[in-house]
Amino acid sequence: MLFRSRFQEIAEKHGMVLVLPMYEEEQPGFLYNTAAVIDADGTYLGKYRKTHIPQVKGFWEKFYFRPGNGGYPVFDTRNAGRIGVYICYDRHFPEGWRALGLKGAKIVFNPSATSRGLSMYLWNLEQPAAAVANEYFIGAINRVGTEPYGDNDFYGSSYFVNPRGQIVGEAASDKEEELVVRDLDLDEIRSGVGIGLRYLSPIGPLRLEVGRKLDRQAGESSTVVFLSFGNPF
């Protein structure tokens, strides 16, 4: 692929890991919203195909895209650790975030093209919540501007968020193109500064229930806590 080889050369030249959203045609009639991942030495590591396909005003994607069929892969990179990719509309669904966390992702990138009035209020809610719940960093990427066709006004506001749900530095402009460069301390994951929800007990997940216990003889009730363990698989 000419597209791939061109960006492989760029990645190797600059020592950068690249996440490249693209319109993938597997064969005639089989089209996917895909992101390829290229390592800092130019190695093609693989791709993620968007799983959740929207069918809402301005985004009638089910007319042309098929749902992804490759699961939720992670990619071991030379200088960015283990990363994952989620694409745009995927971010509204927690199962992919969770799958990537359980596979050990340290950073998950979510390239998007989302517009005002549709889900802007969720932009600063869902991705910080996913970062906290799964204890990793998220790169939330969105474009700005409008297209000649359609009335979508893309609101940008790209940012990185840490495992505590805090935006690293400031978010980008919602109107102007900007390059967001941030230093991310991956030790924040290993040191356990997040909530710690990613990791399962060796004997299964811990289930915590709070309920009321009635003492029938005394006619009184008290608060009790029940702990149970189970097999997650």
Side-chain angles (χ1 to χ4, degrees), residues 199-227:
Y199 303 103
L200 298 174
S201 162
I203 56 175
L206 176 67
R207 185 180 182 188
L208 176 66
E209 296 181 358
V210 178
R212 304 291 293 180
K213 180 180 180 182
L214 177 65
D215 185 332
R216 296 186 182 278
Q217 291 183 341
E220 299 176 348
S221 65
S222 58
T223 300
V224 294
V225 177
F226 305 93
L227 298 177

Side-chain angles (χ1 to χ4, degrees), residues 162-228:
N162 68 19
R164 295 188 67 86
Q166 300 165 327
I167 293 178
V168 182
E170 297 180 355
S173 170
D174 67 339
K175 295 181 175 65
E176 304 293 331
E177 289 187 1
E178 291 185 354
L179 176 64
V180 178
V181 180
R182 299 287 184 266
D183 291 323
L184 306 181
D185 183 3
L186 298 185
D187 287 337
E188 290 186 29
I189 300 171
R190 291 189 289 272
S191 64
V193 298
I195 302 302
L197 300 181
R198 176 193 298 190
Y199 303 103
L200 298 174
S201 162
I203 56 175
L206 176 67
R207 185 180 182 188
L208 176 66
E209 296 181 358
V210 178
R212 304 291 293 180
K213 180 180 180 182
L214 177 65
D215 185 332
R216 296 186 182 278
Q217 291 183 341
E220 299 176 348
S221 65
S222 58
T223 300
V224 294
V225 177
F226 305 93
L227 298 177
S228 63

